[in-house]
Amino acid sequence: MNDLYLIYKNMTRKPLRLFLTCFAIFIAFLIFGAVTSLKTALNSSVELSADNRLVVFNRINFTQSLPISYFQKVAAVEGVKDVTHLNWFGGYYQEQSRQIVSLAVDPESYLRVYEEIVIPEEQKQAWFNNRQGALVGEKLAQIYGWKVGDRIPISSNIFTHKDGGYTWEFVVSGIFKGDSEQYDTRQMLFHYKYFMETQTFGNDWIGWMALTTDDPSLNEKVAKTIDDSFANSQSETDTSTEKSFNKAFIEQIGNIGLIIFSVVFTAFFTILIVVGNTMALAIRERTGEIAVLKTLGFSSARIFRMVLSESLLIAFIGGLSGLAAAWLLVEGVKTFLARFLPNLILDGDIALQALLFMLLLGIITGLLPAFNALRLNIVSAFNRQP
């Protein structure tokens, strides 16, 4: 007799119980897929950080500026490969609710430090040559329907224009992509010199600096050298890796990892108890049948494999359907949430983790019932029957 047929008949003998068990697993993996995708989107800036990239900012806090003279001093530090400087613009498009990540940068050094930015050579040169030009991320351009050559008014909720008002006019010189799907292209870059010439706060300061080192092993030494150079000055610095900086920034809204772990662990622990209890009950109900199978010549090892396979099959049926539903959910909302979570995707790594959890769930919930079936004594089993 075919073992798969026996497994199928045992699974479906009580359709309602099978459905409820699979539905419980479905919910668990729906939660896992959706919530883990959310965590990945929130942490994408951390995961994509370059190992050899450091961030230098004012020791007081991130919002305090640094003198422009620091730029050349940092560039001269041994072990520094490239350095660039950035200013937060606080931009929005037409309405203050339409906030835009907009940065005033030094174009050439910025693209050397952030090599993950991908842009056609002709658009890059057009940006270099047009002081009023702006480089716009692909996702940001899609949100507002911008294209190369468009003139766009961007206002600031921090700075004022020398001509009065809070609005600057830029020309879209190019639209850039990232070297990976998760790279955040929901931002706009424009010339630092144009910004300084047109705003009212002076032109001798920068927001912060980003730099790359010759080798990640030099990070600690370079960071210490930079901070020691400006110790006891009016604007002391704090230098850290980009990964640490982004992680600290993200965790201002809470410990995302702990929240995700708590949700997933609670769901899985509950499902583990439900499915484990169901499998134990199902095997107990079949005590007499298992005894008959052994009497007919089925080996204990064969019965062990059948019971464990049934548990694994149930785990994968519920898990794969839940993962598929999570993918549909993420695909359905990612366009709507593109402005807030541009990197929301359920990728292969999340799917692989889910598959491993399905395997683990099937083994844990099926191992004890399968072991009990393996050890079942034929005479004792028949004596249990009414």
Side-chain angles (χ1 to χ4, degrees):
M1 185 177 293
N2 190 295
D3 289 354
L4 289 177
Y5 178 75
L6 289 176
I7 293 171
Y8 168 76
K9 295 299 291 185
N10 284 326
M11 283 176 53
T12 57
R13 66 168 58 194
K14 291 190 176 181
L16 180 60
R17 183 167 66 188
L18 175 64
F19 170 78
L20 292 176
T21 303
C22 289
F23 183 72
I25 300 172
F26 167 88
I27 294 298
F29 281 94
L30 172 61
I31 293 172
F32 174 82
V35 176
T36 307
S37 297
L38 174 62
K39 177 190 174 185
T40 302
L42 290 171
N43 289 339
S44 60
S45 60
V46 176
E47 299 301 326
L48 296 176
S49 300
D51 292 335
N52 69 329
R53 195 149 58 212
L54 305 180
V55 179
V56 184
F57 53 94
N58 195 301
R59 183 179 292 273
I60 297 175
N61 61 52
F62 177 75
T63 63
Q64 299 297 310
S65 60
L66 296 170
I68 185 65
S69 59
Y70 282 20
F71 177 68
Q72 293 300 331
K73 293 179 181 178
V74 169
V77 171
E78 184 179 358
V80 173
K81 180 181 178 182
D82 284 304
V83 60
T84 190
H85 55 81
L86 309 88
N87 287 67
W88 182 264
F89 184 63
Y92 63 90
Y93 179 59
Q94 296 179 337
E95 302 174 8
Q96 289 204 19
S97 60
R98 297 180 172 182
Q99 299 289 322
I100 293 175
V101 176
S102 43
L103 303 169
V105 304
D106 176 61
E108 295 188 19
S109 64
Y110 186 88
L111 293 183
R112 289 198 302 270
V113 171
Y114 291 91
E115 296 177 328
E116 59 266 43
I117 289 179
V118 179
I119 179 174
E121 183 63 28
E122 63 275 12
Q123 293 184 15
K124 180 170 70 174
Q125 293 303 321
W127 184 42
F128 289 169
N129 297 328
N130 185 357
R131 187 166 292 192
Q132 200 175 357
L135 204 59
V136 176
E138 182 180 44
K139 292 178 181 177
L140 182 62
Q142 290 173 352
I143 290 172
Y144 295 113
W146 296 338
K147 59 184 183 299
V148 174
D150 285 353
R151 303 186 74 87
I152 53 174
I154 303 296
S155 302
S156 174
N157 54 23
I158 303 174
F159 304 101
T160 54
H161 198 287
K162 283 184 176 179
D163 295 338
Y166 301 91
T167 302
W168 276 255
E169 187 174 82
F170 299 99
V171 178
V172 179
S173 298
I175 296 176
F176 69 87
K177 300 179 181 180
D179 61 358
S180 70
E181 187 179 357
Q182 287 186 302
Y183 187 81
D184 186 2
T185 57
R186 191 193 45 166
Q187 54 182 297
M188 186 185 83
L189 312 169
F190 58 93
H191 287 249
Y192 168 81
K193 290 182 179 179
Y194 174 64
F195 172 58
M196 285 297 164
E197 289 171 356
T198 53
Q199 57 92 31
T200 59
F201 287 9
N203 58 4
D204 59 350
W205 61 277
I206 54 178
W208 70 98
M209 289 175 281
L211 62 93
T212 52
T213 58
D214 292 324
D215 189 271
S217 63
L218 299 174
N219 287 356
E220 186 175 348
K221 178 182 177 181
V222 169
K224 186 177 186 305
T225 300
I226 293 172
D227 292 340
D228 288 347
S229 299
F230 304 115
N232 301 317
S233 67
Q234 187 174 358
S235 300
E236 296 187 64
T237 61
D238 190 358
T239 305
S240 64
T241 62
E242 184 183 44
K243 188 180 292 289
S244 299
F245 176 79
N246 289 339
K247 185 177 181 180
F249 187 81
I250 288 295
E251 289 184 350
Q252 291 181 32
I253 62 175
N255 192 328
I256 301 299
L258 179 60
I259 295 172
I260 298 298
F261 176 79
S262 299
V263 171
V264 174
F265 176 79
T266 301
F268 271 79
F269 184 74
T270 304
I271 296 306
L272 190 67
I273 294 174
V274 171
V275 178
N277 183 65
T278 301
M279 286 299 299
L281 180 62
I283 298 305
R284 187 174 182 82
E285 291 174 351
R286 298 181 216 153
T287 299
E289 297 175 20
I290 294 173
V292 171
L293 290 176
K294 288 190 173 185
T295 303
L296 293 174
F298 280 68
S299 67
S300 295
R302 184 179 178 185
I303 293 174
F304 177 89
R305 289 194 300 269
M306 288 171 58
V307 174
L308 189 59
S309 297
E310 181 180 342
S311 177
L312 287 167
L313 191 55
I314 291 174
F316 276 98
I317 290 174
L320 288 173
S321 58
L323 188 63
W327 182 82
L328 291 173
L329 177 62
V330 169
E331 289 296 309
V333 302
K334 76 175 184 180
T335 301
F336 175 74
L337 296 177
R339 187 177 300 177
F340 312 101
L341 291 169
N343 304 314
L344 185 63
I345 57 172
L346 200 162
D347 59 16
D349 289 340
I350 296 175
L352 181 59
Q353 290 179 46
L355 290 173
L356 292 175
F357 280 128
M358 291 175 209
L359 179 63
L360 187 62
L361 178 65
I363 291 174
I364 292 176
T365 57
L367 198 57
L368 182 59
F371 186 68
N372 288 336
L374 175 71
R375 298 175 59 226
L376 185 66
N377 180 275
I378 297 175
V379 175
S380 299
F382 282 128
N383 287 336
R384 293 182 195 173
Q385 303 306 305

